[in-house]
Amino acid sequence: MTHKGSSLYRGYALFLLPGVLAFLVLILFPFLANIGLSFTKWSGVGKPVWIGLANYERAISDSSFWASFKNNLLLIVAMTIIPTIVGLFLAAFLFDYIADKFGQGVASIFRAGFYLPQIIPLVVAGIVWRWIYQPQWGALNGLLRFLGLDSLARPWLGDHSTAMYAVMGMMVWFQIGYPLVIFMAALQRIDPELYEAAALDGASWLQKFFRITIHLIRPEIAVVVLTTAIHALKIFAPIYSMTRGGPGKATIVASYFSYQNFFERSNVGYGATIATILTLIIVLLTIGFILAQTRREE
Amino acid sequence: MSSVYKTSRRHFLKLCVGTTGVLALAACAPITPPTAPTAAPAPLPAEKRVFKVWHYEVGYAMGDSWADAMEDFKAMHPDVELVFEEKTFEQIMETARMILSSQEVPDVMEINKGNATAGLYSKEGLLTDLTEVAKERGWDKILSPSVQTTCRYDENGIMGSGKLYGVTTYGEFVMVYYNKDMFKQHGVEVPTSLEEFEAIADKFLAEGITPLTLGAADLWPQTHNWQELLLYKADRELINNFQFLKGEVDFHGPAFSFAAEKFAEHIRKGYYGPNANAVSYVDANSVFFQGKAPMNLTGTWAFGEFMKQIKDFDWGMFLMPGKKLNTGSGGNLWIVPAHAKNKDLAYDFIDLTLAKKAQTVLANAGGIALNADLSQVTDPKVRELNALFATIIENDGLAFYPDWPVPGYLDILGGCLQDLIAGIKSPAEFNDCIAGPYNEYKASL
C-alpha cells in the first residue's frame, strides 16, 4: 500500500513541476533577491555594497516611511472595513428585500451595477476620479455648486487635509462590489428554514441578520477581509494615477514610496527594504488571520 | 529631464509594479551585476547588418526630425536594415540600466540627460565615449558649450565636465506664453523687468482674472516657476555649484530666500489662483488654450501643442524679463551603448540628425534646432522661438532644471513646493525641506 502510494505520488510530482518552477522563478527567487538587496546600498548599476541593517535603521527613523504606512492603514479602512460592513448590509438588503419584492432580475442588475467598478482597471478609475475631483470643472464641485453648496467645493486632491480622504472615497466606490458579490453568493447557501424558524419565534430582521446571516457567512467575511486588507497594503495604482503621493506627502503609500526609491531616486537598496517590510507585514497578517480562522473552526 | 515634463507619457507607464505588487519590484532588478563592456565584434559584410534605433519622441518635433534622418540613413546605407523601435519615456527610465548592462542593446538610444541617468550609466562604463568622434565629425562645433554641459559627465558621473557621452540634437527652455488679445484688452505690454511683470499680474488680479495658470498637482511644473524666481538672484557660480554638487550652496542665502519668499508672496496674492495644487499640467494648459488665463509659464516642449490647440486668439512668448540666466538646457541625449554592435553606423546616424536637413525639419515642426537653416523656416512664431533660444545661448544663460542634481529630487522639490503653495510651510521651512535631501546626497558622494 505504502509502496503503491509513493509511486503514485511520484507520478503526480511531474505535474507539479511547472507550478513549482513558476513559483521559484517568479516569486521565491525575486523575493530572496529583494531581501538580499535590502541589506545593500545600490543605485541599480554596478555592484551592490553590503551595508547590513543600515536601510532598516533608516526606515525606522524616516518620517516618509511612517507616513506611508499610516496612509496604508487609512486605506484598510476604505478598502476593507467600510466595504465589508456596507457590503454586508447591501447584500442582505438586495437578497431579502429587493429580490423578494422586485424579483431576482432586479437584484442581479443592482449587484452588477455595484460590481461594475471592479472590472475597470484601477489606473483608469484613478484618472476618471481625478477628473471628478478636478477643482474647476470636476463633477463633484459642479454638483456642490449646483446644489448651492459652493462653500463645500474645494480642490479635493490638492488640499493636504482632504487629499487622502478623496482617495479613500474613490476606493470605497471601487471596492464595494467585491464583498457584495461574495456575500450574496454566500447568502444563497443559507438554509431558508433557519429564517423561517426565527420568524416563527418572532425575530426581527436585524436579529436574523446578526444571529443567523453574519454567523453563517463568517468564512466568506474572513476571506473578504483578508484579501482586501492585503490589497490595501500593497496598493499602488490609484496613488500613481491620482496624486503621485502628493500634495507634499499627504497620500504617499508604502509601495509607491518603494517605487520612488527603486526607480526614481536610484536608492534600490532602500526601495527593496521598504518592499521587504511590506511583504513581511502582509505575510504576518495572513498567517495570523489563517490561524485565527482555523482556531475558530475547531 | 525634459521628458519628465511631458506628462502624457507618464500616464502610459507600464505598471510593472502596480499590477503585480511589491515582489515585482525585486523581479525588475537585474540579477547579475553588469559585465565589463567588451569590444564590439567586427560586423560581417556578407550578411545584411541590422541597425537598431530606440527613442521616445514619436509625435514631437524631434520624432519628425529623426524620422527624416532615418530616411536619409536608409538612402546612405541601402545594404543595412534599419529597425526603429518606439519606446515610452517610462520604459527607458525604468529599464535603461538593465538593457545597457545586457548584450541586447540597440546601436543608438535616446536617454534622459542628468546625473541620475546618463551620469550613472557613464560612470559604470555602459556608454561609449564620444569625445573623439565628436571632434572628428564636427559635432562639438554644432553643440555650444552650455548645450554640451548636459552631454558631458566626469568619472563620478556628475554632469558638466569630463568626457562627452551623449549628443543632443535640440534645445529647450522655459518661457512665458501670453495671450496677446487679453494683454491688448487690458492695456498691458510685454514686461521688461520683474516689477513690470508683477504690475501686470496685479492689474489682471484687480480685474478679477487669475494672471497665471499652474498645474502643481503634477509636481514638476511649479519647480520651473520657482527656479525662474531663483535666477533673479542666483549667478552662474551658484547655479553650477548647485547643479554639479560642487562648492558651497547656502539654502538660506539671499538667492534661495528670495525665491521662496517671492514665490510665497505670488501665491498669497493669488497669482496662481486657489487651486494650483489640485490642477494637472494638462488642465493648466487647457485653461490657457481656452483664453481664460493671460499667462502660462512653461517650457518650449509644449510649443507644438500650443500651435495646434490655440485657434481663437493671438498669442506670443517672452522670457521672464530682467535676468540673464534662464531655466533650460540641451535636450535628451543620443547615446551609443558600450555593447553596441554597429558603432560606425551609429555615428553616421547621429551625424544625420545634426545635419542642416533634419535640423530644419525639427525647427519647422516647432522644435528648437541647434543647426537649422532658419531661412527655410516659414512660421514667424517658430523663428521667434529659435531667436529667443539664440539669445539665451549668447548669454551663456542655460541654467538647467532644478531637479537634476539629486536622483529623485523632483518629488522632493515638487512636494515641498506643494507645501509652500498650501501655506503649511514657511519660506524658511521650505528651504530646509529641499536642503536636507540635497545635503544628504552630496555627503554620500
Side-chain angles (χ1 to χ4, degrees), chain B residues 123-140:
Chain B
K123 187 170 112 182
E124 297 298 333
L126 301 176
L127 310 182
T128 306
D129 173 10
L130 301 173
T131 317
E132 288 308 312
V133 189
K135 262 185 219 154
E136 275 165 35
R137 302 206 174 212
W139 300 342
D140 57 338

Side-chain angles (χ1 to χ4, degrees), chain B residues 62-63 66 116 175 238 273 293 295 334 439:
Chain B
M62 288 70 80
W66 297 343
M175 61 184 182
L238 177 63
M295 294 185 279
W334 282 133
N439 290 328

Side-chain angles (χ1 to χ4, degrees), chain B residues 52 57 119 124-125 162-163 177 257 296 308 396 420 442:
Chain B
K52 272 192 197 165
E57 302 290 351
E124 297 298 333
K163 292 175 184 161
Y177 295 83
S257 299
N296 186 7
K308 257 184 244 156
D396 182 28
L420 185 66
K442 197 173 167 184

Side-chain angles (χ1 to χ4, degrees), chain A residues 26-27 29-31 33-34 37 41-48 58 123 127 130-131 133-137 145 154-160 234 236-237 240-244 246-249 255-256 258-260 262-266 268 271 274-276 278-279 282, chain B residues 10-11 13 15-23 25-34 90 93-95 97-98 101 116 120-121 123-124 126 217-219 274-275 277-280 283-284 286-287 290 292 407-409 411-412 414-416 418-419 422 424 440 444:
Chain A
L26 296 175
I27 297 184
F29 181 70
F31 180 53
N34 189 63
L37 282 177
K41 183 177 167 60
W42 190 40
S43 64
V45 189
K47 284 202 170 63
R58 176 175 168 186
V123 175
I127 292 170
R130 213 169 77 170
W131 293 335
Y133 286 134
Q134 213 282 344
Q136 286 136 333
W137 53 77
R145 290 194 190 103
R154 62 196 68 232
W156 298 100
L157 290 172
D159 189 323
H160 286 68
K234 63 179 200 185
F236 177 87
Y240 183 86
S241 62
M242 287 172 95
T243 64
R244 303 196 142 256
K249 289 171 193 160
S255 63
Y256 188 71
S258 173
Y259 164 87
Q260 276 185 330
F262 217 102
F263 290 108
E264 292 177 0
R265 299 185 186 164
S266 297
V268 173
I274 299 157
T276 304
L278 184 59
T279 311
I282 293 176
Chain B
R10 295 209 130 184
H11 293 163
L13 173 79
L15 285 172
C16 171
V17 185
T19 48
T20 48
V22 197
L23 290 176
L25 280 172
C28 294
I31 297 153
T32 46
E90 285 74 19
M93 271 304 269
E94 287 162 10
T95 58
R97 55 192 177 200
M98 283 163 256
S101 312
L120 199 61
Y121 313 144
K123 187 170 112 182
E124 297 298 333
L126 301 176
D218 279 320
L219 289 169
N275 298 324
N277 270 348
V279 177
S280 69
D283 287 352
S286 67
V287 169
Q290 291 164 26
K292 289 181 183 162
Y409 206 44
D411 290 321
I412 294 158
C416 298
Q418 285 181 333
D419 290 347
I424 62 172
E440 189 189 319
S444 77

